[in-house]
Amino acid sequence: MCETNKNVLERIQLKGLKYALNLAQTTNSEKVYKEAKIDKIVDRSKTQTKKYLNKAMITNSLIQNFVEDYNNHEELDEGALCKKPQRKTILSVLKSDEATV
């Protein structure tokens, strides 16, 4: 997902939370998330993607083959075969997040 879309979703979520929790529109976003006890959209989507891939690796042979191919050919993680500017795949994004943890 591109940064612009992430920012739009984040703004919509924050406005909705502030309204639902009856907070001032000037309230800090970290305070809003803490009071609502939820994660940011980007963090939640990464968590859900990892959870799905872990389950799908067991039950779905196509996903299992896809992940195994990725692990065997890591040069593809930056879109080396793309004709346009390279973009990271979701697997490379998840892998880089695991490396930082």
Side-chain angles (χ1 to χ4, degrees):
M1 182 183 320
C2 71
E3 285 299 315
T4 305
N5 291 342
K6 290 178 193 176
N7 292 337
V8 169
L9 289 173
E10 199 72 36
R11 277 196 311 267
I12 292 169
Q13 183 180 34
L14 277 172
K15 284 184 181 184
L17 287 171
K18 288 177 183 178
Y19 182 78
L21 297 172
N22 201 19
L23 298 172
Q25 290 300 314
T26 57
T27 306
N28 182 337
S29 62
E30 295 302 318
K31 183 178 179 185
V32 174
Y33 286 121
K34 188 178 281 188
E35 190 165 325
K37 297 178 184 169
I38 63 169
D39 296 329
K40 293 182 178 184
I41 286 180
V42 174
D43 297 337
R44 179 75 176 150
S45 74
K46 287 180 183 177
T47 302
Q48 290 299 95
T49 302
K50 287 178 190 177
K51 190 174 178 180
Y52 167 74
L53 285 174
N54 286 334
K55 282 186 179 179
M57 284 281 293
I58 297 167
T59 60
N60 188 329
S61 62
L62 288 174
I63 298 293
Q64 185 177 16
N65 289 338
F66 175 67
V67 172
E68 286 173 359
D69 286 347
Y70 169 78
N71 287 331
N72 293 332
H73 304 286
E74 291 186 22
E75 67 275 5
L76 301 178
D77 71 346
E78 298 296 328
L81 301 178
C82 293
K83 294 178 182 175
K84 295 185 177 184
Q86 296 177 352
R87 294 187 321 192
K88 286 189 168 196
T89 64
I90 186 62
L91 294 176
S92 68
V93 170
L94 295 173
K95 191 176 224 179
S96 66
D97 284 350
E98 288 175 2
T100 59
V101 173

